[in-house]
Amino acid sequence: MPTETFFNLPKEKQKRILDAAAQEFSRVGLNEASIANVIKEAEISRGSFYQYFSDKEDLYYYYFYTLRSHNHRYLIQAIAEREGDLFAGIEDYFFRLTPEMFTGKNHQFYRHLFMNMDAHGFQRVMPYLEKKVEKAHCQQKEHIKKITKI
């Protein structure tokens, strides 16, 4: 996550940095991305970059979280528009989200995100899912222990 210094910047400067991140991370994936390109496009110094973020991965996942928070708002809105009908709201949400991921302005970012996903990236993108999978695995092991003791 960005430092407090980043959050204290004027909104216009924060937007400039995130726009530069979007451009770079849409051009190439995280591993090939260049901080030099980001700081040049954002018109900030390298020192300033490191006052705001610990490294390019920090910026990358913060940018992803900003996209995810927008998508979360879409989900809440879709459910509200369907008067609380969860399934209809989720269906509307996915019909809205799918074009964004495949043809929207961030489609290249999403493409790089998923095409270059490794275990570390998965954990950063879906930390809550990772915990649920781990919990389910532990429950399954406990269940097997109980069955084999009988």
Side-chain angles (χ1 to χ4, degrees), residues 140-150:
Q140 182 182 25
K141 286 171 102 177
E142 289 300 315
H143 181 70
I144 290 171
K145 283 181 185 177
K146 288 178 186 176
I147 293 172
T148 57
K149 288 183 179 180
I150 296 177

Side-chain angles (χ1 to χ4, degrees), residues 6-150:
F6 175 79
F7 292 114
N8 290 330
L9 291 173
K11 295 295 180 197
E12 182 277 325
K13 191 168 187 177
Q14 289 180 28
K15 183 180 180 331
R16 213 171 61 226
I17 293 168
L18 290 177
D19 288 347
Q23 184 175 327
E24 181 64 7
F25 296 133
S26 292
R27 186 182 71 78
V28 294
L30 172 61
N31 293 332
E32 295 82 27
S34 165
I35 292 174
N37 290 343
V38 172
I39 63 177
K40 180 180 177 185
E41 185 65 29
E43 299 176 348
I44 61 171
S45 70
R46 185 172 288 273
S48 292
F49 176 86
Y50 286 107
Q51 285 184 328
Y52 311 143
F53 300 95
S54 58
D55 53 24
K56 70 179 177 181
E57 185 176 300
D58 194 24
L59 173 61
Y60 182 81
Y61 288 109
Y62 178 68
Y63 178 69
F64 170 74
Y65 294 134
T66 63
L67 294 178
R68 190 173 79 181
S69 70
H70 292 291
N71 292 336
H72 183 260
R73 277 184 253 148
Y74 289 150
L75 176 60
I76 300 303
Q77 180 184 352
I79 294 169
E81 287 171 358
R82 289 301 196 117
E83 299 176 354
D85 184 332
L86 180 65
F87 294 105
I90 289 174
E91 183 177 17
D92 290 351
Y93 167 73
F94 279 107
F95 279 118
R96 198 181 299 175
L97 181 63
T98 303
E100 166 62 23
M101 293 183 79
F102 293 103
T103 59
K105 75 175 194 169
N106 295 302
H107 78 279
Q108 283 296 99
F109 172 81
Y110 285 118
R111 182 179 184 279
H112 290 297
L113 174 71
F114 293 116
M115 293 297 292
N116 298 299
M117 181 83 56
D118 59 9
H120 175 71
F122 180 79
Q123 190 173 18
R124 292 289 306 262
V125 169
M126 305 276 202
Y128 56 91
L129 184 59
E130 183 80 14
K131 289 176 186 171
K132 286 183 178 182
V133 169
E134 187 176 311
K135 182 179 176 182
H137 182 70
C138 288
Q139 289 173 338
Q140 182 182 25
K141 286 171 102 177
E142 289 300 315
H143 181 70
I144 290 171
K145 283 181 185 177
K146 288 178 186 176
I147 293 172
T148 57
K149 288 183 179 180
I150 296 177

